[in-house]
Amino acid sequence: MEQAPLDPERQLQPAPIEPLGLPDSGLEAAVGEEAEGARDAGSGVDTMTENNFGLKKIEISVSEAEKRTGRNAMNMQETYTAYLIETRSVEHTDGQSVLTDSLWRRYSEFELLRNYLLVYYPHVVVPPLPEKRAEFVWHKLSADNMDPDFVERRRIGLENFLLRIASHPILCRDKIFYLFLTQEGNWKETVNETGFQLKADSRLKALNATFRVKNPDKRFTELKHYSDELQSVISHLLRVRARVADRLYGVYKVHGNYGRVFSEWSAIEKEMGDGLQSAGHHMDVYASSIDDILEDEEHYADQLKEYLFYAEALRAVCRKHELMQYDLEMAAQDLASKKQQCEELATGTVRTFSLKGMTTKLFGQETPEQREARIKVLEEQINEGEQQLKSKNLEGREFVKNAWADIERFKEQKNRDLKEALISYAVMQISMCKKGIQVWTNAKECFSKM
């Protein structure tokens, strides 16, 4: 049975932030609240509304990658990859189409955008970026982050990252995201002016909250364990796939030896020569086909990697809840301490050992005026503490409601995406096996004609 919100006047012990059920209106309520403004006063950045920004009417693509050389912040020369982002309005507000806009962004700017979204939307499972350096590679695949094939896969991943944000009911309305797509100059300065770095929670603080929170929410604890297990399962799956790719590559390439042997054999045979030569050709084609097959497999592996990185995004939401729960418990504990001090001053009794109690015994009692002044200060602090505790409770409940709404949205997306990816991978494997059968069928026909 759901508990009532914490009443600071009657309950002074720390209590968990009570999880709420999913809102009846689904995500629409959360979207509406975000659209009205999700920035602190003075930041200069407001959430964009449906009237002036609707990404459902804008096509986004990362169409090109380009290797460049420049100087970094340390004035040292570096080589990096820039990506061309193209946006095109499908339909303008007056019904007329507009021209395509384009600009270049570095990977580090994509990172800056995501870090900003993590801070300002802590209740959202923010889409992850593609890997900066290749992981879970099989031996023939380059781990160099400037390798053309890797850059191409990362280009596709960055495009997917932008499309994930654009399709999100809350993130798509953010002005900084809109400027990322449309404003090439001074975009970094605009992001930094929001002050999001100052609002970011430190890792040490998050770790402290993890170990010291007394009443963790069971649902967030289970979600954290699930994200760990999801990451572990997908990691194992990717390692198995890399080992299979290694073995498969070797098997296919060895078939090239059939082609060479049949070709050499055909040179010494008259009646059998043409059949052996044709069979050898089929084997050569079969051996060379593995390169394209494994290249296609990498795209399926990248889809799995996206959810490998999504596991960390889930943990980020859990860590934020732990921090809020810890702050609530500390506020309740502080309020209880101040109420006890006030009661002790009013009654003249000391229930626990304190430095103040020892001082009183050594140097005598306070005057009535001093005691009244201290009681007055404590009463003001208690009133402020009660208001603060009430505010933290409301903030926590709102966070839980919005977070679980987005988590449910993410679960539906995950189930749909992984189901499609695994089915497509199975279909590709079936197709590959059919091609192998066809090669040997053709070879059989060649042998039959000898």
Side-chain angles (χ1 to χ4, degrees):
M1 182 174 181
E2 190 177 75
Q3 299 176 359
L6 181 65
D7 185 348
E9 294 184 358
R10 292 183 298 173
Q11 187 173 351
L12 301 179
Q13 297 302 319
I17 299 176
E18 181 65 27
L20 297 180
L22 295 180
D24 294 337
S25 57
L27 282 171
E28 293 303 317
V31 173
E33 291 166 4
E34 293 293 336
E36 292 176 4
R39 299 290 177 275
D40 294 336
S43 67
V45 181
D46 297 323
T47 301
M48 304 201 70
T49 63
E50 198 72 46
N51 293 330
N52 56 9
F53 181 46
L55 276 174
K56 291 181 180 179
K57 298 180 181 179
I58 293 182
E59 293 180 352
I60 304 172
S61 65
V62 180
S63 58
E64 189 178 334
E66 181 178 279
K67 187 176 179 180
R68 295 183 176 182
T69 302
R71 294 194 173 275
N72 57 23
M74 303 295 293
N75 200 32
M76 298 177 64
Q77 188 166 323
E78 64 173 348
T79 301
Y80 61 91
T81 304
Y83 300 88
L84 180 64
I85 302 174
E86 294 185 335
T87 55
R88 184 175 70 87
S89 295
V90 178
E91 184 179 349
H92 200 47
T93 53
D94 56 4
Q96 297 180 353
S97 61
V98 295
L99 297 176
T100 300
D101 290 326
S102 63
L103 49 78
W104 293 89
R105 294 284 185 209
R106 295 183 59 173
Y107 185 88
S108 59
E109 292 175 289
F110 284 87
E111 288 182 311
L112 183 61
L113 171 63
R114 186 172 188 274
N115 290 337
Y116 157 82
L117 294 175
L118 284 170
V119 171
Y120 270 106
Y121 302 95
H123 61 280
V124 170
V125 184
V126 179
L129 287 166
E131 57 191 353
K132 194 166 187 176
R133 288 176 176 79
E135 299 178 17
F136 304 103
V137 297
W138 53 287
H139 79 282
K140 288 293 183 181
L141 198 66
S142 174
D144 181 11
N145 64 338
M146 300 302 289
D147 178 75
D149 292 335
F150 173 73
V151 170
E152 172 60 16
R153 293 198 310 278
R154 190 163 66 177
R155 179 196 66 77
I156 295 172
L158 291 173
E159 180 178 289
N160 184 63
F161 168 72
L162 295 180
L163 293 176
R164 291 285 195 201
I165 298 175
S167 63
H168 194 282
I170 298 174
L171 300 181
C172 73
R173 299 169 181 264
D174 188 86
K175 186 176 181 181
I176 291 295
F177 175 51
Y178 174 72
L179 295 178
F180 179 85
L181 300 173
T182 59
Q183 177 183 307
E184 187 161 16
N186 300 322
W187 178 78
K188 287 184 179 179
E189 289 76 5
T190 304
V191 180
N192 292 328
E193 285 172 2
T194 65
F196 80 95
Q197 296 98 330
L198 300 175
K199 299 179 181 180
D201 299 312
S202 70
R203 292 186 179 182
L204 182 60
K205 184 179 179 182
L207 185 64
N208 182 53
T210 299
F211 287 104
R212 296 186 64 183
V213 66
K214 297 177 181 178
N215 297 295
D217 188 308
K218 183 179 179 181
R219 293 191 298 174
F220 282 93
T221 301
E222 291 175 351
L223 180 65
K224 196 173 181 180
H225 290 160
Y226 168 76
S227 65
D228 292 338
E229 292 170 357
L230 178 65
Q231 188 174 44
S232 176
V233 168
I234 295 180
S235 295
H236 290 155
L237 187 60
L238 288 168
R239 290 191 186 96
V240 170
R241 182 259 157 190
R243 290 199 297 269
V244 171
D246 272 330
R247 302 276 181 89
L248 200 61
Y249 183 84
V251 169
Y252 267 69
K253 290 302 181 183
V254 166
H255 277 70
N257 293 335
Y258 280 130
R260 177 177 56 80
V261 172
F262 287 153
S263 180
E264 293 174 353
W265 191 1
S266 68
I268 62 173
E269 298 286 352
K270 292 183 179 179
E271 292 81 3
M272 298 170 56
D274 291 341
L276 290 171
Q277 185 70 31
S278 298
H281 171 72
H282 288 302
M283 293 298 151
D284 289 337
V285 171
Y286 183 68
S288 62
S289 66
I290 189 61
D291 297 298
D292 291 336
I293 291 172
L294 293 183
E295 184 177 341
D296 290 339
E297 269 200 18
E298 286 304 316
H299 295 297
Y300 292 111
D302 289 339
Q303 292 177 28
L304 291 176
K305 287 178 183 179
E306 181 186 20
Y307 281 93
L308 178 73
F309 305 141
Y310 254 125
E312 175 57 30
L314 283 174
R315 284 196 292 270
V317 176
C318 295
R319 284 195 298 269
K320 183 61 180 179
H321 178 266
E322 287 175 340
L323 279 168
M324 297 180 73
Q325 174 67 31
Y326 180 68
D327 287 343
L328 174 65
E329 292 176 358
M330 290 299 100
Q333 184 176 321
D334 183 60
L335 179 61
S337 175
K338 284 184 169 57
K339 284 195 171 186
Q340 182 178 328
Q341 292 177 42
C342 188
E343 181 184 346
E344 290 173 352
L345 283 172
T347 61
T349 59
V350 179
R351 284 188 278 174
T352 58
F353 172 82
S354 66
L355 180 61
K356 186 64 181 176
M358 290 296 297
T359 304
T360 300
K361 289 182 179 180
L362 290 173
F363 300 103
Q365 296 287 339
E366 295 176 311
T367 64
E369 292 79 9
Q370 290 175 325
R371 188 164 58 252
E372 287 296 326
R374 286 190 61 206
I375 289 175
K376 185 177 180 181
V377 170
L378 281 171
E379 287 176 342
E380 292 177 355
Q381 292 176 346
I382 289 170
N383 184 55
E384 292 176 0
E386 289 173 343
Q387 294 300 320
Q388 184 184 38
L389 192 60
K390 182 179 179 181
S391 175
K392 286 183 180 295
N393 259 297
L394 293 174
E395 181 184 358
R397 292 171 68 85
E398 189 67 17
F399 175 87
V400 171
K401 180 182 72 174
N402 292 334
W404 277 105
D406 196 63
I407 288 166
E408 289 300 316
R409 178 205 59 81
F410 166 76
K411 286 180 179 178
E412 292 179 3
Q413 169 196 302
K414 171 185 67 69
N415 295 342
R416 181 177 62 251
D417 290 349
L418 291 180
K419 177 182 177 181
E420 292 178 358
L422 292 172
I423 290 175
S424 298
Y425 183 75
V427 169
M428 190 193 74
Q429 296 297 320
I430 292 170
S431 175
M432 179 179 65
C433 293
K434 286 182 177 179
K435 288 179 181 178
I437 293 173
Q438 187 61 49
V439 166
W440 282 104
T441 301
N442 294 338
K444 176 188 174 184
E445 292 177 358
C446 293
F447 297 149
S448 299
K449 294 177 181 177
M450 290 192 302

